[in-house]
Amino acid sequence: MNWWTVDSKKMFQNSHGLVRGAVWIFIELILAGGGSLKAAPGEEKAGLSAAFTTRAASCRTAAPFELEARLSWDGASLLSGHLDLRFLANFKSVGNYCSAELTLQPGSQSFRFLVPPIKRINFKSQIAVLAIFLTSGKEIDLGIQPLPLTVSRDRIFTLLSSEPVESSSRFFPIASSLSFERYRPENVTESELPFQTSMVHLPPAEFPIDSLEYCSWDVVLLGGTGFPQLSSVQLDHLARWVEAGGSLCVLPEKGTEAHHAEFLNRLADPDGAHPLVRWMEDGGLAPANSFSVSGIKSWRAGLGRVVLVWKAPQPEDLDHESWWEAAAFLWKYSRIHVPSISKQGRWRDSAERKWLETSSDLDRAREKLLGYFLPSGLRVLPFSLLFFLLLIFFAAAGPVDYFLLGLLKKRRLTWIYQPSLCAGFALFLVWLANIYHGNPGSQKSMAIVDHCSRGRVLRESLYAFHISGFHEELETTKAGALFAPVSAWELDPFPERGSPFFASEFSGGEDLPSIEGKFPGRYRIRRKILKWNPCASHSFAIGRESKLSPLKIRWDAVGPDQFRTLEGRERLKKFLFGEANFSGRIDLLHGSEHYGICRSDPAIPMEFILRASSRKRQGIFYLASQLSPAGGDGFDDLAIHDAGDPRQWLLVAASAVEDGFVVHRRLYFEEQP
């Protein structure tokens, strides 16, 4: 059993949920065995089979994951079609995905797909996949198969290692020392933690060539001979992910090429004015300037973190203060925990154990966000009109029925008259209600665009909110972006019966979108929208220029020098936009202090934006101030500011657009002596 394919000890905890999941998968397999083929019987089912596997025993929480499908085709000719996958957990659908067109040759062949994030559930369960191969006019049922994958409400962190298999045992202690829960207090056991770290090995040749695919991981470890085997294309996309908020640890060895030095220098200084390393003709890397005594260099690259370990640490080095501090930096631990971790190797605990709390600090601010997105001006039927209509109904059901049918001597027709009256009155009320309500549907969006110096876009998070007065089906096309439906639990953590989010949270997955095509390249999304049932989605892109706002912000014109003085803050609007007319909100965060610079558009739900950008110390954000981007079903990606770090300043500028608002952010880091 290899360490890179097995989750930590917590994989075998919560056995009740796993046993229950295994039982229902066993029942489904029996039922599937007796099922009938929807295509022509016989040949296709006997000729096509599939086996599915995943890289890790637990996928990262609310993040896409890689699925490998091995298809065996015994036919004599080519077979073309789409692989339709439905992911199940305890009888409920938790995700749908239909691949781009595949062409199968006779024999066995493997395909790898990046699958959109699956829906989070309230218990730990094994995942199964129901697979159907769709050809022209036929559906080949491939049955239900359990995956070596579990999902739960507990947060799963993932660490990716590039070290080749033959030398992986040498880096096992290093990878283990980088697990998030390694730095828990001594009086806390792993079973008490609501999170765990899953370590995965990926051969260098299989590293992604799309920066969005790295969102499946929290931390990437490039160690030993794995780093020199990465191509310049792979390193370019890895650098984009790091700048967008990822965490990278590099332990270089000989065998590198010039593009490896360029990769590290790009992360250290995008302008190239101060290179960090230089490439040697013998394939080695040498420091361009002096390193610390420990041989560990840590720095920020955009919104991400990089740790360069010049010399691979020995087992005794992993219990040294410099290594503990590097690990805390890599995991983006809040500044309040760094002294404790660097001195004792443990985060600072509290009597309340706030890291166990499951409630969100966004609860109150979330109401203002929903108030902005929900349609306004909804007309309802006046009570006086309803009272008048009820009087007419009672008159028609009583006196009119009695006297009219009595006069006509047709009282036996009351069995026809009364049902017809009720049905007609009900239809009339529905028609009248639609006249009053109309279709005040609303489709608005909230875009969060993060910039670095010189205004370059690092990443973009787009939240779309839709509500309709009718049942309808939405169809959209996306390219170069991750997509996930926002969980109803994120919009209303404690939905009650009657709440529009109650049905979504406890449904069997009927409202989940269907994603068809090459994800995250170019794909189509189909989603059913129920009447008056709000739904939201999250799209995440890295490194592309935003087309959502025409604002031209001069980010290089301001800095902490202007932020610290009252006069500088008062002139901040002019510094940012010059003489251009700006209408919106400008706010500045520094530690726990909040400065409102411009408030010309009070409709923008700025309280939610600021709370999501700088999370309160609660739950996982009691420990970490920021997480690597996941493109998932919530708002965790928006947290980038550490309120416990006095060196950080977050500048936020928001302006309204036609169908919502756009937020531009820039995180400033003030170097202190």
Side-chain angles (χ1 to χ4, degrees):
M1 202 172 280
N2 296 321
W3 66 269
W4 56 83
T5 58
V6 178
D7 208 343
S8 58
K9 297 178 182 178
K10 294 186 72 176
M11 174 182 175
F12 298 101
Q13 294 172 359
N14 197 355
S15 59
H16 175 72
L18 292 177
V19 171
R20 179 174 55 181
V23 170
W24 76 258
I25 291 176
F26 178 72
I27 295 174
E28 290 283 0
L29 289 173
I30 295 177
L31 295 176
S36 59
L37 193 64
K38 296 181 180 180
E43 180 181 351
E44 286 86 353
K45 187 174 182 180
L48 182 62
S49 61
F52 300 93
T53 187
T54 57
R55 295 280 186 188
S58 296
C59 63
R60 184 187 177 194
T61 300
F65 66 95
E66 187 178 88
L67 179 71
E68 181 175 353
R70 186 169 185 83
L71 302 178
S72 299
W73 169 237
D74 296 338
S77 59
L78 298 178
L79 180 65
S80 297
H82 303 265
L83 188 60
D84 187 72
L85 305 174
R86 182 180 181 188
F87 298 94
L88 307 170
N90 200 28
F91 297 104
K92 292 184 179 181
S93 176
V94 292
N96 304 303
Y97 176 65
C98 184
S99 72
E101 185 175 13
L102 306 176
T103 300
L104 306 182
Q105 299 178 351
S108 297
Q109 50 211 295
S110 296
F111 299 91
R112 289 191 177 93
F113 310 101
L114 188 69
V115 178
I118 58 180
K119 181 179 179 181
R120 284 184 280 179
I121 56 179
N122 288 313
F123 49 85
K124 192 169 186 178
S125 175
Q126 188 175 10
I127 299 298
V129 58
L130 170 62
I132 299 176
F133 195 80
L134 305 176
T135 63
S136 55
K138 298 179 181 179
E139 296 183 4
I140 304 177
D141 189 355
L142 300 176
I144 299 178
Q145 298 184 31
L147 294 176
L149 186 69
T150 57
V151 64
S152 70
R153 277 289 190 193
D154 286 349
R155 184 176 295 274
I156 305 296
F157 296 110
T158 52
L159 187 150
L160 174 64
S161 171
S162 68
E163 182 64 14
V165 177
E166 57 270 15
S167 57
S168 60
S169 59
R170 182 165 63 100
F171 278 81
F172 171 69
I174 298 176
S176 298
S177 68
L178 287 177
S179 64
F180 190 87
E181 61 271 19
R182 155 69 178 80
Y183 300 95
R184 69 187 186 278
E186 293 184 357
N187 60 338
V188 178
T189 62
E190 286 191 19
S191 60
E192 296 180 79
L193 300 176
F195 39 78
Q196 57 182 302
T197 304
S198 176
M199 295 177 287
V200 182
H201 166 78
L202 192 65
E206 298 179 11
F207 259 58
I209 54 174
D210 188 332
S211 56
L212 291 171
E213 296 188 30
Y214 287 99
C215 291
S216 299
W217 322 106
D218 289 278
V219 177
V220 173
L221 173 63
L222 302 181
T225 58
F227 177 54
Q229 296 182 38
L230 296 178
S231 68
S232 59
V233 176
Q234 292 172 313
L235 292 176
D236 176 64
H237 287 280
L238 178 58
R240 295 183 185 184
W241 171 76
V242 172
E243 292 173 336
S247 293
L248 173 68
C249 182
V250 183
L251 292 81
E253 290 189 1
K254 286 190 176 182
T256 60
E257 299 181 19
H259 65 266
H260 295 92
E262 294 173 358
F263 164 73
L264 293 174
N265 289 331
R266 167 188 171 179
L267 291 175
D269 184 10
D271 295 330
H274 304 285
L276 179 70
V277 299
R278 52 191 176 90
W279 180 68
M280 311 293 289
E281 293 185 358
D282 61 356
L285 296 176
N289 47 43
S290 60
F291 277 82
S292 63
V293 177
S294 63
I296 299 177
K297 175 71 174 179
S298 302
W299 73 92
R300 299 168 183 268
L303 295 176
R305 311 285 180 94
V306 183
V307 172
L308 177 61
V309 184
W310 198 250
K311 181 180 179 182
Q314 300 301 314
E316 59 273 14
D317 298 329
L318 301 178
D319 289 327
H320 192 271
E321 293 181 2
S322 59
W323 182 257
W324 293 341
E325 186 174 359
F329 178 81
L330 202 62
W331 280 108
K332 309 179 183 74
Y333 272 98
S334 177
R335 186 72 179 175
I336 64 171
H337 295 289
V338 172
S340 177
I341 293 177
S342 61
K343 297 297 182 182
Q344 306 172 17
R346 310 288 178 181
W347 74 63
R348 192 178 74 178
D349 199 5
S350 64
E352 302 86 2
R353 292 195 171 183
K354 294 183 178 181
W355 43 269
L356 284 175
E357 296 183 14
T358 57
S359 59
S360 173
D361 58 308
L362 298 179
D363 290 347
R364 189 180 66 178
R366 196 182 279 118
E367 297 178 1
K368 296 188 177 181
L369 178 70
L370 295 178
Y372 176 87
F373 281 132
L374 290 175
S376 59
L378 179 64
R379 294 192 307 162
V380 296
L381 288 174
F383 177 77
S384 58
L385 178 59
L386 283 176
F387 182 75
F388 178 71
L389 292 176
L390 284 175
L391 289 179
I392 295 177
F393 175 75
F394 291 145
V400 174
D401 179 18
Y402 181 79
F403 290 109
L404 180 62
L405 295 184
L407 181 63
L408 298 176
K409 298 181 180 181
K410 300 289 186 181
R411 293 195 181 279
R412 64 180 180 274
L413 295 181
T414 190
W415 298 102
I416 299 176
Y417 173 79
Q418 290 288 353
S420 301
L421 176 66
C422 293
F425 188 76
L427 292 175
F428 174 75
L429 283 181
V430 172
W431 173 80
L432 188 62
N434 285 331
I435 293 297
Y436 267 81
H437 292 172
N439 181 25
S442 173
Q443 186 168 3
K444 296 183 179 180
S445 63
M446 173 182 69
I448 313 292
V449 185
D450 290 307
H451 300 260
C452 68
S453 59
R454 302 176 307 280
R456 184 167 61 91
V457 174
L458 298 175
R459 65 185 192 181
E460 176 186 285
S461 293
L462 176 63
Y463 291 87
F465 191 95
H466 189 90
I467 185 171
S468 175
F470 300 106
H471 296 298
E472 60 178 306
E473 182 172 315
L474 290 181
E475 182 174 320
T476 57
T477 300
K478 289 191 176 295
L482 297 177
F483 174 86
V486 175
S487 170
W489 183 83
E490 288 283 346
L491 297 173
D492 189 355
F494 307 103
E496 300 178 354
R497 290 190 180 274
S499 166
F501 302 104
F502 184 85
S504 298
E505 179 67 11
F506 298 99
S507 69
E510 298 83 2
D511 59 334
L512 291 176
S514 176
I515 298 177
E516 307 169 4
K518 182 176 176 54
F519 182 85
R522 185 175 183 83
Y523 53 95
R524 180 173 54 186
I525 306 164
R526 294 180 179 178
R527 188 173 190 182
K528 294 181 179 180
I529 307 297
L530 302 180
K531 184 176 181 178
W532 303 122
N533 187 22
C535 69
S537 61
H538 176 208
S539 301
F540 180 81
I542 290 178
R544 69 182 185 187
E545 291 298 323
S546 176
K547 300 179 181 180
L548 298 173
S549 174
L551 286 180
K552 299 297 182 182
I553 304 177
R554 303 187 303 172
W555 297 105
D556 57 347
V558 298
D561 292 340
Q562 288 81 23
F563 300 158
R564 286 196 173 276
T565 64
L566 178 61
E567 180 183 0
R569 291 195 296 270
E570 290 177 347
R571 299 179 59 192
L572 194 57
K573 178 180 175 181
K574 183 177 180 180
F575 288 153
L576 288 174
F577 301 100
E579 300 301 328
N581 187 24
F582 172 78
S583 177
R585 292 285 303 267
I586 301 177
D587 290 79
L588 187 64
L589 293 180
H590 178 233
S592 59
E593 298 178 347
H594 167 224
Y595 303 97
I597 309 300
C598 176
R599 300 182 179 181
S600 59
D601 190 347
I604 297 177
M606 206 64 178
E607 181 181 352
F608 176 85
I609 299 168
L610 297 178
R611 283 183 177 270
S613 301
S614 183
R615 297 295 290 267
K616 186 179 178 181
R617 299 183 188 121
Q618 187 174 344
I620 189 61
F621 289 104
Y622 172 75
L623 302 174
S625 61
Q626 178 188 352
L627 302 176
S628 296
D633 60 357
F635 303 104
D636 289 351
D637 285 353
L638 301 184
I640 60 173
H641 177 255
D642 185 358
D645 191 345
R647 300 169 297 176
Q648 292 188 20
W649 296 80
L650 179 63
L651 182 59
V652 183
S655 62
V657 292
E658 182 178 357
D659 60 347
F661 61 92
V662 179
V663 180
H664 298 271
R665 304 187 303 182
R666 165 90 191 274
L667 183 66
Y668 294 85
F669 188 79
E670 184 179 14
E671 296 292 346
Q672 294 181 349

